[in-house]
């Protein structure tokens, strides 16, 4: 299979676990991987009134593998802002995969500083050894790309070839 389609970070986690179980190679040379990345930052309280404020980001991520170099593109960046009370048994954000039409958790097109940009990284033993970010990108955009690079690495040193 030359193209792996995954949905969300769980898909990435499963692929990484299967790769580790079969061999120590995590990213296969010459392959292109696609997945939907979704993350959130939230501050809330459960004291008197359940309320929360936060930001949720979602983007399509494409990874092209060439040897130990990953070329990563982030497109279709969307965000949802949240600041209100929520029911005790509920969760303030509804994931896109849950197919819940919650008007308080609506995604909109982000001006995302990383939107449409590509960066590359070199890996040694599964860890980032060098990161190349686009010139002229804002500090926020660079930090978003550094965060993505951090998610994509996995330390393979001193581990047996079997399941850990």
């Amino acid at each position: 299979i030359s193209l792996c389609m995954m949905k969300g970070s769980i898909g990435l986690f499963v692929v990484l676990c299967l790769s580790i179980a079969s061999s120590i190679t995590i990213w296969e040379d010459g392959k292109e991987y696609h997945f939907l990345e979704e993350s959130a930052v939230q501050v809330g309280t459960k004291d008197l009134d359940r309320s929360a404020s936060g930001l949720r980001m979602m983007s399509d991520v494409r990874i092209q593998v060439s040897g130990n170099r990953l070329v990563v593109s982030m497109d279709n960046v969307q965000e949802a802002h949240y600041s209100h009370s929520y029911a005790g048994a509920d969760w303030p954000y509804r994931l896109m995969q849950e197919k819940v039409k919650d008007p308080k958790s609506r995604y909109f097109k982000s001006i995302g500083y990383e939107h449409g940009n590509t960066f590359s990284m070199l890996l040694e033993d599964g860890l980032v050894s060098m990161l190349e970010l686009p010139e002229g990108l804002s500090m926020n955009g660079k930090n978003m790309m550094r965060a993505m690079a951090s998610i994509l690495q996995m330390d393979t040193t001193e581990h047996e070839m079997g399941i850990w």
Side-chain angles (χ1 to χ4, degrees):
I1 299 174
S2 62
L3 181 66
C4 296
M5 297 298 289
M6 297 169 275
K7 295 293 183 189
S9 297
I10 292 173
L12 176 62
F13 178 73
V14 169
V15 165
L16 291 176
C17 288
L18 290 174
S19 295
I20 291 164
S22 63
S23 73
I24 207 68
T25 302
I26 296 172
W27 302 103
E28 192 172 341
D29 189 20
K31 298 288 183 171
E32 184 172 283
Y33 300 85
H34 294 252
F35 66 96
L36 177 69
E37 182 269 336
E38 190 170 24
S39 57
V41 176
Q42 176 177 309
V43 176
T45 179
K46 294 182 181 181
D47 296 345
L48 300 174
D49 186 23
R50 290 178 174 263
S51 61
S53 295
L55 167 72
R56 202 164 181 89
M57 304 276 305
M58 182 171 58
S59 61
D60 295 323
V61 178
R62 184 182 73 229
I63 303 166
Q64 296 172 315
V65 183
S66 178
N68 66 342
R69 176 182 295 278
L70 302 183
V71 178
V72 183
S73 299
M74 298 163 59
D75 292 302
N76 193 26
V77 179
Q78 299 177 54
E79 58 186 86
H81 298 197
Y82 186 93
S83 183
H84 58 271
S85 299
Y86 62 96
D90 204 0
W91 174 245
Y93 284 112
R94 305 313 315 161
L95 298 177
M96 190 64 103
Q97 294 91 337
E98 294 174 0
K99 308 284 189 233
V100 175
K101 301 292 184 189
D102 182 354
K104 296 179 181 178
S105 297
R106 188 179 10 212
Y107 280 93
F108 57 91
K109 197 87 168 156
S110 175
I111 61 167
Y113 302 103
E114 69 284 358
H115 178 74
N117 284 296
T118 298
F119 69 95
S120 67
M121 53 197 263
L122 289 178
L123 298 176
E124 288 182 23
D125 296 321
L127 299 175
V128 177
S129 63
M130 188 182 77
L131 190 60
E132 294 178 22
L133 301 173
E135 288 189 28
L137 196 62
S138 70
M139 185 59 70
N140 188 14
K142 289 178 181 178
N143 286 339
M144 293 296 282
M145 290 183 170
R146 286 180 184 116
M148 177 59 67
S150 177
I151 292 169
L152 297 175
Q153 66 181 350
M154 179 176 277
D155 187 359
T156 60
T157 59
E158 301 182 25
H159 296 289
E160 293 182 19
M161 299 283 272
I163 296 177
W164 301 335

